[in-house]
Amino acid sequence: MRRSGNDWLNDFSHIYLEPGVEEYFLGRKILENFPASVRISIPDYKIIFNRSNQHFQTQKRSMKLILALKKPPYLYPLSETVQGGGFRNRYYVTPIMNCLFNCDYCYLQGMYPTANILVFVNNEDLFRATEIALGNRSEKEDPVYISLSYNTDLLAFENLVPICRSWIEFTRKVEDLVIEIRTKSAFFHVLEEEEPLDRVVLAWTLSPAEVIRKYEHGTPPLEKRIRAVQRAIRRGWKVRLCIDPILGIPNWDGIYASFLEDVFSRLPVKGIRDVTLGVFRMNPTYYKRIMKQHPRADLFYDQIEITEGSVTYTPQLKERINKSILKQLSSCLPDHIPLLWI
Amino acid sequence: MVQLFFTALPSEARSIIEALGLYKDPGYQPIPLYRNESVLLAVTGVGKIRSAWSVGYVFGRERLGEDVIALNIGVCGGASRSIEIGQCYRINQITDYASGKTVYPDILFKHNLSELPLTTVDKPVLSGGEEFESLVDMEAFGFYTAASQYLKAHRLICLKIVSDHMDGPRLTRTYVSSLIQKNLKSILDVADQYQGRPLPDTRILNREELALLKDLNRYLRLTKTQSIQLERWAVRCKIHNDMVLPRLEEFKQISVNTKHERNMHLEEIRQRLAE
């Protein structure tokens, strides 16, 4: 018997639960959202998350949810491969590990052995750890900068797993904390009621429509993302725009030129905090793991160079991309908008 | 795709053998093995060690490729009166009673069965099984741990039919056979879900294409690096060309005597794959 391709189970058909999850507000809230899911008790999330015989891209077709309690460490130092905007006390947290979207270039498929979504429901412990980091920070004159969406797209989950709003409220209450919520989602409406706060960096990753269609599976189209950014700016937020990763696809210069012109002609400059930029790059270990899983994306087989520190485009291509993008940006963005390159 | 069935008892296997038209492979010792062109069924004997051993034996002996699913089918005990006798369950968690270890098959496709966890024990439970909460069998953990050495978690399927509440008399062969027969459609439906569905965990180059590259590698006397490059070009080409690889057989006729000749022909292949 041959079947159509539509009989994959819905995402979150199964929820794996660590003991004690139901004692937390977030745990109860998520379980309420998925009353029909099969619930399976697990002693520790690692037993399911870290299994050795999983296949990331197959699991992506029917992602399961794992609810667990985060144990220390709660904060991790932020990698140098991420633009930090000049902050010296830079961390990331992992309220959620893995993403609803499935971008071909995403390093998560090489970082984690599973595509299943892991949510830590004890957000309060992350807040406490942040307060401790604020008190103990080495560079006292600098705020603590925390990337919330480092290993996920947190805002994309907000309807199901309301974490962004609780972090915004927490940030409002403590001084010297700056958080970044980076997203590809168009879900600004879930934050509509929040008063804008300068120390909360709402950041949208924007890519040309051609890139979104081919490589950013499951993400909202460019048009919807731009409309979400416009709404955020109208509401009074100063947003970060992330043109990252820039892909060296055929005709990349023409595609990115018209994309940048389109984006910056539609967004008011006063609403843009800064722009982060970076060409496709990946940790070599993650790259090797991805290659073992037989990726179907052509970008893994094209003009890339594998060095000890990074997998990225050849220096020649990288330089051509950087020059071209910079030239394009200088014609459509005023000089006072910072450009953060990696 | 190859379907590999493992049952503990001949009576658990009978209905499947008949339904799929399997014939006994006379060359197989020491476990009975039945097959047709795309299905194998091994009768492993009772217990997790026999089950694990048989799985290892079949995988070790057969050249199965990578598009394979393995199914453990059999009867089990139901720990609670609320678990209905005769019902077939899809197992979502298997615990080894002796070691306390637990494994979790990935269930990715829709199915019509209820799901339950199961415990694998070393000795038959005849006292009502009050210490257990769900299903109890004697093979699933052995099957899963052995098969997971060869297959990913989403290719491992465990289906169990409740035969008793662990308090009754010994089961007869006819009774066990009838339970499987009654649930045969459910069992085969689950197995058939994988048919005609290339999963993303399979290689991009198929067996024939890999064999061709291996031949080219030999005829052109490629270095290790060149051989890796050739495979990468072929994969890239296939992705860019709707999963079709251009013909390269003509390069098998070429004999190479110098490095220069080798590099020249390799460049021709590269260009062909880049077209």
Side-chain angles (χ1 to χ4, degrees):
Chain A
M1 188 195 321
R2 284 182 184 263
R3 304 257 176 162
S4 71
N6 280 336
D7 46 2
W8 294 87
L9 280 164
N10 293 337
D11 288 335
F12 308 156
S13 61
H14 292 68
I15 302 181
Y16 296 90
L17 298 157
E18 265 190 10
V21 157
E22 285 114 321
E23 289 164 28
Y24 289 83
F25 165 77
L26 199 55
R28 289 193 298 274
K29 178 85 185 153
I30 296 167
L31 289 171
E32 271 171 30
N33 284 338
F34 299 101
S37 298
V38 175
R39 296 181 188 183
I40 300 171
S41 298
I42 48 169
D44 187 304
Y45 78 85
K46 289 174 190 157
I47 202 167
I48 189 88
F49 194 83
N50 291 347
R51 284 176 299 162
S52 57
N53 62 333
Q54 306 180 80
H55 190 267
F56 193 97
Q57 283 302 335
T58 308
Q59 289 180 328
K60 262 288 174 195
R61 309 285 178 96
S62 173
M63 293 179 282
K64 313 304 183 194
L65 194 55
I66 305 167
L67 303 183
L69 304 181
K70 180 84 181 90
K71 296 165 194 79
Y74 298 109
L75 271 62
Y76 302 90
L78 199 55
S79 156
E80 293 302 319
T81 59
V82 178
Q83 307 91 337
F87 293 99
R88 286 181 291 176
N89 306 301
R90 294 153 31 102
Y91 298 95
Y92 71 93
V93 289
T94 56
I96 297 181
M97 286 157 73
N98 267 328
C99 186
L100 282 178
F101 304 139
N102 188 18
C103 301
D104 281 331
Y105 52 72
C106 183
Y107 61 88
L108 291 179
Q109 51 191 324
M111 187 174 193
Y112 297 137
T114 180
N116 292 334
I117 307 286
L118 171 60
V119 179
F120 291 114
V121 298
N122 53 332
N123 228 5
E124 298 81 355
D125 292 331
L126 269 64
F127 293 153
R128 269 192 290 278
T130 304
E131 285 169 336
I132 293 168
L134 280 161
N136 295 345
R137 67 191 193 269
S138 51
E139 312 291 345
K140 293 287 180 196
E141 66 280 14
D142 255 18
V144 164
Y145 175 90
I146 296 184
S147 169
L148 287 190
S149 299
Y150 189 56
N151 294 336
T152 186
D153 189 322
L154 210 54
L155 195 60
F157 282 99
E158 192 67 8
N159 270 344
L160 307 170
V161 186
I163 292 179
C164 289
R165 276 166 291 179
S166 62
W167 270 94
I168 293 173
E169 286 314 307
F170 172 70
T171 306
R172 214 181 283 288
K173 285 181 206 153
V174 295
E175 286 181 2
D176 291 339
L177 173 64
V178 178
I179 60 168
E180 188 207 62
I181 301 170
R182 191 179 288 207
T183 189
K184 289 188 178 104
S185 87
F187 271 9
F188 175 72
H189 60 274
V190 292
L191 302 182
E192 198 84 64
E193 302 299 312
E194 293 290 334
E195 277 303 311
L197 181 63
D198 197 42
R199 290 183 292 114
V200 174
V201 182
L202 294 185
W204 266 273
T205 299
L206 302 179
S207 303
E210 294 86 341
V211 169
I212 293 174
R213 268 198 302 274
K214 190 167 180 195
Y215 299 108
E216 298 183 356
H217 311 291
T219 64
L222 178 62
E223 188 56 38
K224 281 193 172 177
R225 290 189 220 175
I226 291 178
R227 282 208 293 267
V229 177
Q230 287 170 332
R231 264 172 96 170
I233 293 173
R234 272 202 303 274
R235 183 74 179 84
W237 293 88
K238 283 198 89 168
V239 303
R240 168 173 290 167
L241 299 179
C242 309
I243 316 297
D244 187 7
I246 300 165
L247 300 182
I249 52 176
N251 191 27
W252 59 265
D253 42 356
I255 287 171
Y256 276 91
S258 53
F259 156 70
L260 292 172
E261 196 182 328
D262 176 39
V263 166
F264 290 108
S265 67
R266 296 170 64 189
L267 298 176
V269 171
K270 68 175 175 46
I272 300 173
R273 173 193 292 260
D274 52 33
V275 179
T276 70
L277 302 134
V279 297
F280 170 68
R281 63 205 174 279
M282 187 174 279
N283 173 308
T285 309
Y286 300 161
Y287 173 79
K288 281 176 196 159
R289 283 190 203 147
I290 292 170
M291 292 309 281
K292 277 186 188 168
Q293 302 224 355
H294 321 303
R296 263 57 176 171
D298 54 10
L299 57 88
F300 288 111
Y301 306 93
D302 283 337
Q303 303 176 60
I304 51 169
E305 202 169 77
I306 307 163
T307 60
E308 259 180 45
S310 181
V311 175
T312 185
Y313 294 128
T314 58
Q316 298 81 358
L317 178 58
K318 215 170 150 179
E319 197 185 326
R320 285 211 313 276
I321 291 175
N322 288 353
K323 269 189 185 163
S324 166
I325 299 284
L326 198 59
K327 188 176 162 202
Q328 189 64 32
L329 281 174
S330 63
S331 71
C332 55
L333 258 188
D335 288 346
H336 70 271
I337 304 287
L339 300 179
L340 312 174
W341 283 89
I342 193 80
Chain B
M1 197 208 51
V2 176
Q3 298 174 349
L4 274 179
F5 288 87
F6 293 91
T7 68
L9 306 168
S11 51
E12 291 169 328
R14 189 177 306 146
S15 300
I16 302 170
I17 292 167
E18 287 169 9
L20 299 179
L22 309 181
Y23 62 89
K24 190 169 185 180
D25 186 334
Y28 240 81
Q29 293 292 338
I31 50 169
L33 187 115
Y34 301 82
R35 66 163 82 228
N36 65 20
E37 61 283 353
S38 61
V39 178
L40 281 85
L41 185 148
V43 181
T44 66
V46 174
K48 70 182 181 200
I49 292 175
R50 282 181 173 160
S51 176
W53 184 89
S54 304
V55 168
Y57 184 78
V58 172
F59 273 97
R61 183 161 162 172
E62 297 288 327
R63 287 172 56 85
L64 293 167
E66 53 184 0
D67 197 10
V68 177
I69 58 167
L71 304 98
N72 176 218
I73 312 292
V75 294
C76 69
S80 153
R81 294 277 162 195
S82 63
I83 297 173
E84 196 187 332
I85 289 177
Q87 189 81 27
C88 181
Y89 289 95
R90 180 96 186 239
I91 306 305
N92 57 27
Q93 177 181 350
I94 306 164
T95 302
D96 179 35
Y97 187 67
S99 67
K101 284 184 183 164
T102 302
V103 291
Y104 303 87
D106 270 346
I107 300 176
L108 303 183
F109 297 129
K110 288 175 186 166
H111 60 87
N112 295 321
L113 301 171
S114 297
E115 292 181 23
L116 277 179
L118 170 137
T119 303
T120 297
V121 295
D122 291 339
K123 290 179 183 171
V125 180
L126 303 168
S127 56
E130 281 177 10
E131 67 269 46
F132 301 101
E133 287 177 2
S134 182
L135 305 179
V136 178
D137 88 332
M138 295 182 68
E139 290 83 26
F141 187 81
F143 157 80
Y144 187 94
T145 45
S148 63
Q149 303 301 309
Y150 304 93
L151 300 177
K152 304 281 184 203
H154 60 272
R155 291 180 176 275
L156 304 177
I157 298 155
C158 193
L159 303 176
K160 295 284 164 173
I161 295 127
V162 182
S163 58
D164 59 279
H165 289 122
M166 295 179 280
D167 54 359
R170 199 177 167 82
L171 308 174
T172 65
R173 277 177 284 193
T174 316
Y175 174 63
V176 169
S177 253
S178 72
L179 289 176
I180 302 288
Q181 179 62 41
K182 191 182 139 206
N183 289 284
L184 192 60
K185 184 177 181 310
S186 302
I187 293 167
L188 299 182
D189 276 354
V190 170
D192 283 343
Q193 276 189 313
Y194 291 75
Q195 291 281 18
R197 183 199 298 278
L199 294 177
D201 61 345
T202 50
R203 284 175 177 272
I204 293 164
L205 300 176
N206 61 34
R207 198 183 279 198
E208 291 75 30
E209 290 160 345
L210 285 168
L212 171 66
L213 294 190
K214 206 172 168 184
D215 286 346
L216 292 176
N217 196 8
R218 199 169 61 244
Y219 294 127
L220 298 177
R221 300 184 190 175
L222 301 183
T223 65
K224 178 78 180 163
T225 306
Q226 287 173 326
S227 160
I228 293 168
Q229 273 179 330
L230 176 61
E231 185 171 337
R232 183 160 293 193
W233 296 335
V235 169
R236 181 181 175 282
C237 173
K238 218 176 153 181
I239 290 170
H240 277 292
N241 292 295
D242 294 329
M243 302 307 276
V244 177
L245 202 61
R247 286 186 60 80
L248 298 171
E249 273 75 5
E250 70 207 61
F251 292 96
K252 281 166 62 174
Q253 317 301 327
I254 293 166
S255 70
V256 165
N257 295 313
T258 65
K259 276 186 190 176
H260 176 73
E261 284 177 4
R262 174 190 66 195
N263 294 347
M264 193 182 72
H265 292 305
L266 187 62
E267 176 57 20
E268 283 172 32
I269 294 176
R270 190 192 68 76
Q271 284 178 13
R272 170 80 56 88
L273 293 171
E275 276 166 13

